[in-house]
C-alpha cells in the first residue's frame, strides 16, 4: 500500500496477490448413473488498485478501481483471466461507538458484469465490539445462493487476553468459481512479555470558574482537533486556538476519566505528553483525574 495523505485525503495504490488451489472433487447422481470428477488444480491472482480515501469527522469515503490478472492451471490446461474490479465504500459514525457502512462493487469479467451491494454495522464498547454484514450479487449470471452475510464479535478478557469469534455464509466468487460455503472461526490471543509500569494519571485542579481546561500544543495538530471521552459521552468537542495551545474548557465533575483526541481528518491520536492506559480493546486512552 503506497500513497500519500494530506488533510484527511489519501491517494495511492494498493497491490496484492493470492495463491489458491482446487482439490479434486467427484460428483455422483442419486441413481448412480453418472460419476463426474473435477481434477485438482491451482493458480495465482495479482491485483493493483488505484485508491482514493477521504476521511472527515463522522464519515469516510473510499473509491478504488482494480485491474485483476489471474492464471489457473487445471489438468495440464492453462487459463488466463483479466477482470476490472471497482468499489465504493461509504462509512458514517452517528456516534463514536457506532459505524455503519454501505459497499458498492462492480466486477467486469469477459462474460459480463457482476454488480454487488452490501451493508455493515459495528458497535464498539469498552469491553469489546460486535459487527454484522450482508451483501448480494445482483446478477443472473451466478447461480443461487447469491447472498452473503455474517456476524462476529471480540471480547477483552483482561488486559492481556482477547477472544474473537465469527460466522459467515459465503456465496460463490465469480473470479475463482468457488462453491458457496459456511465458515466460522474462533481466535484467542494472549499478549506475552512484561508490561511496562503504569503511568500515574495527571490530576487537574478545576479553575475558579468550575471549568476544566484541556490543552494541546499547537505543534500537535495542524488544524483544530477534537477532544472526546467519558466526560463528553465520547462525542467529539472542537478545540480552539489559545496562544500556543489548542484548548477547550468543559464542566467536568470530580472523578477518573478516559479520553483522547481526534484530528481534523478523523484519526485518533494521543500526544506523548499525556499519561495513558490500556483501553481494554487492544489500544490506549489518556487518563484524567479531576479532584
Amino acid at each position: 500500500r503506497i500513497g500519500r495523505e494530506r488533510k484527511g485525503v489519501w491517494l495511492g495504490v494498493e497491490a496484492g496477490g493470492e495463491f489458491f488451489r482446487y482439490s479434486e472433487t467427484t460428483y455422483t447422481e442419486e441413481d448412480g448413473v453418472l460419476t463426474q470428477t473435477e481434477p485438482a488444480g491451482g493458480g495465482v491472482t495479482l491485483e493493483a488498485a488505484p485508491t482514493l480515501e477521504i476521511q472527515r469527522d463522522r464519515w469516510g469515503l473510499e473509491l478504488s478501481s482494480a485491474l485483476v490478472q489471474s492464471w489457473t492451471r487445471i489438468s495440464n490446461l492453462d487459463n488466463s483471466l483479466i477482470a476490472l474490479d471497482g468499489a465504493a465504500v461509504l462509512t458514517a459514525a452517528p456516534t463514536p461507538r457506532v459505524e455503519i457502512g454501505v459497499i458498492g462493487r462492480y466486477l467486469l469479467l469477459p462474460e459480463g458484469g457482476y454488480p454487488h451491494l452490501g451493508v455493515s454495522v459495528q458497535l464498539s464498547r469498552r469491553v469489546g465490539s460486535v459487527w454484522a454484514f450482508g451483501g448480494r450479487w445482483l446478477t443472473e449470471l451466478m447461480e443461487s445462493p447469491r447472498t452473503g452475510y455474517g456476524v462476529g464479535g471480540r471480547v477483552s478478557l483482561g488486559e492481556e487476553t482477547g477472544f474473537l469469534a465469527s460466522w459467515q455464509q459465503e456465496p460463490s466468487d465469480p473470479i475463482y468459481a468457488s462453491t458457496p460455503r459456511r465458515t466460522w472461526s474462533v481466535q484467542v490471543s494472549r499478549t506475552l512479555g512484561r508490561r511496562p509500569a503504569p503511568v500515574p494519571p495527571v490530576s487537574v485542579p478545576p479553575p475558579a470558574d468550575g471549568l476544566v481546561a484541556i490543552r494541546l500544543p499547537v505543534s500537535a495538530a495542524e488544524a483544530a482537533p477534537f477532544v472526546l471521552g467519558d466526560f463528553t459521552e465520547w462525542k467529539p468537542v472542537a478545540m480552539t486556538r489559545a496562544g500556543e495551545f489548542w484548548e477547550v474548557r468543559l464542566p467536568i465533575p470530580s472523578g477518573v476519566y478516559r479520553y483522547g483526541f481526534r484530528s481534523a481528518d478523523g484519526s485518533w491520536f494521543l500526544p506523548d505528553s499525556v499519561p495513558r492506559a490500556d483501553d481494554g480493546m487492544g489500544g490506549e486512552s489518556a487518563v484524567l483525574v479531576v479532584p
Side-chain angles (χ1 to χ4, degrees):
R1 193 170 192 259
I2 302 174
R4 185 172 182 179
E5 182 177 5
R6 181 176 176 84
K7 295 183 179 181
V9 178
W10 187 88
L11 180 63
V13 176
E14 294 185 355
E18 289 184 317
F19 295 95
F20 58 93
R21 182 163 182 81
Y22 300 105
S23 59
E24 183 177 288
T25 305
T26 300
Y27 303 90
T28 302
E29 288 191 358
E30 294 182 359
D31 297 335
V33 176
L34 175 64
T35 297
Q36 180 178 350
T37 300
E38 296 287 348
V44 61
T45 297
L46 300 179
E47 180 176 341
T51 303
L52 171 67
E53 295 181 6
I54 303 174
Q55 187 68 45
R56 291 297 180 258
D57 181 27
R58 292 191 177 186
W59 64 272
L61 176 65
E62 178 180 336
L63 302 174
S64 63
S65 179
L67 176 64
V68 182
Q69 173 72 68
S70 178
W71 295 274
T72 306
R73 184 178 180 86
I74 300 178
S75 187
N76 296 324
L77 296 178
D78 296 327
N79 183 45
S80 178
L81 173 68
I82 297 179
L84 297 177
D85 191 358
V89 181
L90 178 65
T91 59
T95 71
R97 298 185 180 184
V98 177
E99 183 176 279
I100 301 173
V102 179
I103 305 101
R105 181 184 176 192
Y106 189 81
L107 182 62
L108 182 60
L109 296 176
E111 68 272 17
Y114 292 77
H116 183 274
L117 184 64
V119 295
S120 65
V121 60
Q122 177 171 301
L123 176 64
S124 301
R125 286 293 184 266
R126 189 174 298 177
V127 296
S129 60
V130 294
W131 63 88
F133 70 91
R136 180 175 176 83
W137 292 100
L138 308 176
T139 175
E140 298 297 329
L141 294 176
M142 294 176 58
E143 298 181 359
S144 296
R146 293 186 288 269
T147 301
Y149 47 88
V151 294
R154 183 186 186 280
V155 178
S156 297
L157 307 176
E159 294 184 352
E160 290 87 10
T161 306
F163 175 81
L164 184 147
S166 65
W167 176 92
Q168 61 181 346
Q169 169 70 53
E170 301 179 29
S172 175
D173 187 283
I175 294 180
Y176 302 103
S178 58
T179 56
R181 61 181 181 176
R182 293 179 179 177
T183 62
W184 58 270
S185 64
V186 175
Q187 174 184 317
V188 178
S189 61
R190 174 76 178 180
T191 302
L192 303 177
R194 180 179 301 175
R195 298 182 64 84
V199 179
V202 172
S203 177
V204 180
D209 58 5
L211 300 178
V212 175
I214 299 176
R215 295 188 179 95
L216 274 179
V218 172
S219 59
E222 294 183 0
F226 300 81
V227 63
L228 62 162
D230 295 334
F231 44 81
T232 69
E233 297 183 351
W234 293 99
K235 297 178 181 178
V237 177
M239 306 180 75
T240 58
R241 181 76 176 262
E244 297 301 316
F245 295 91
W246 298 111
E247 180 184 83
V248 64
R249 300 169 70 87
L250 300 170
I252 305 176
S254 298
V256 180
Y257 302 93
R258 293 178 180 269
Y259 73 103
F261 299 93
R262 179 179 290 178
S263 62
D265 63 12
S267 58
W268 169 273
F269 73 97
L270 296 175
D272 295 335
S273 58
V274 300
R276 59 190 70 192
D278 180 40
D279 63 3
M281 295 185 291
E284 292 182 317
S285 61
V287 179
L288 174 68
V289 176
V290 179

